[in-house]
Amino acid sequence: MIEIPMLFDLSHTVMGDMVSKYRYPWEVLPHLERLIRVRGATLPPDRYEQVTEGVWIARSATVAPTASIAAPCIIDERAEVRHNAYLRGSTVVGEGAVVGNATELKNALLFDGVQVPHFNYVGDSILGYKAHFGAGTVTSNVKCDRTPVELHFSRGAVSTGLRKLGAMVGDGAEVGCNCVLNPGTVLGRRVTVYPLSSVRGTVAEGMIYKGPTRVCPRR
C-alpha cells in the first residue's frame, strides 16, 4: 500500500508525470526542489505569473499579502494562501488547495484540493488529493535520535535513508484537530484519524484510527 499509485491519483497534481517516475513517495522528496524548478519553467505565462525567481503563482490563485513564500514554489490555480502562511521553499500547493493562517510548509507536495487551513505544519511530506488536516495538526519530520526514518510493517522495517521525513497521506484522508503524524507515518486513502491522536506507522486504506490499539474499518 505504500507505492505511489496505491496512495495517490497523479491526475490531481501539476507534478503528476514527474512523480510517476518514482516507486515510493519518500523517493520524491529529496528531488522536489529540482522538480519544481523544471515544472515551473514549463507553466504557461497566460495562466501563471513568475512573481520572483523560482516562484510561480497561478493568476487565479489568492495569496494574502502577509504570506511569506520562498523559492522554489508553485501555487496552482484557484488555490488560497491565507494570512501569515509561511512557505519555506520546495513547496507545491495544488489546484483549489487551502493553506491557512499561520500554516507552515517546508519541502512539501500538496495535491489538488488539500486543506491545511489552521495552524498546521507540513514538512517533508506529501498530502494526497483532498486530504484534510484539522486545526493544530502537524507532521513531525525528525526522530528524537536524528537517525534515518524507517517504516515499520508486520513483516519488518524499511529504511528510507532520510533523516527528515514527515508523513505520506493518501487521497481523501481526514485527520482530526491537534494530531501528530510521527516521522514516516503513512495513511492510506480515505483514512480517518480521531482528534488528539499521535500516529506512528502505517494505517491501511479506509480505516479509522482511534488509537494505537483501536484501528477499525469503516462500517
Side-chain angles (χ1 to χ4, degrees):
M1 66 164 286
I2 58 173
E3 294 186 9
I4 284 173
M6 303 179 78
L7 290 171
F8 309 115
D9 181 345
L10 296 182
S11 69
H12 288 294
T13 173
V14 70
M15 307 296 290
D17 59 325
M18 293 179 161
V19 173
S20 69
K21 297 176 183 179
Y22 299 88
R23 182 176 183 183
Y24 299 112
W26 64 84
E27 295 174 335
V28 177
L29 295 170
H31 307 284
L32 191 55
E33 178 178 359
R34 175 182 59 83
L35 297 176
I36 292 171
R37 292 186 183 277
V38 171
R39 177 43 36 89
T42 70
L43 296 174
D46 60 324
R47 292 164 48 201
Y48 298 84
E49 179 182 3
Q50 185 174 0
V51 296
T52 188
E53 191 280 325
V55 176
W56 295 266
I57 300 178
R59 298 182 185 276
S60 61
T62 301
V63 179
T66 52
S68 177
I69 302 172
C73 177
I74 295 172
I75 299 175
D76 211 345
E77 296 184 288
R78 295 179 295 281
E80 182 179 356
V81 179
R82 294 175 178 166
H83 175 66
N84 280 351
Y86 182 25
L87 281 60
R88 288 169 50 189
S90 299
T91 54
V92 177
V93 179
E95 181 177 331
V98 175
V99 180
N101 171 46
T103 290
E104 179 180 350
L105 307 182
K106 175 255 180 184
N107 199 47
L109 170 56
L110 275 56
F111 276 54
D112 302 344
V114 166
Q115 293 192 345
V116 283
H118 307 289
F119 309 104
N120 304 115
Y121 173 67
V122 182
D124 301 286
S125 298
I126 301 177
L127 275 57
Y129 177 55
K130 288 190 174 181
H132 175 262
F133 279 10
T137 283
V138 299
T139 62
S140 173
N141 60 341
V142 180
K143 294 170 62 178
C144 292
D145 61 5
R146 304 297 195 271
T147 58
V149 177
E150 293 183 339
L151 277 66
H152 293 271
F153 305 95
S154 59
R155 296 183 180 179
V158 176
S159 177
T160 66
L162 301 176
R163 191 177 68 84
K164 291 188 176 182
L165 177 62
M168 291 146 283
V169 179
D171 295 344
E174 179 76 28
V175 185
C177 295
N178 293 317
C179 293
V180 176
L181 304 183
N182 286 282
T185 294
V186 180
L187 303 183
R189 297 188 188 206
R190 299 180 299 281
V191 163
T192 297
V193 177
Y194 271 30
L196 301 176
S197 296
S198 177
V199 187
R200 185 182 305 277
T202 301
V203 183
E205 178 176 331
M207 302 298 281
I208 299 175
Y209 184 97
K210 302 179 182 181
T213 60
R214 300 173 62 212
V215 182
C216 59
R218 294 178 182 275
R219 294 181 179 177

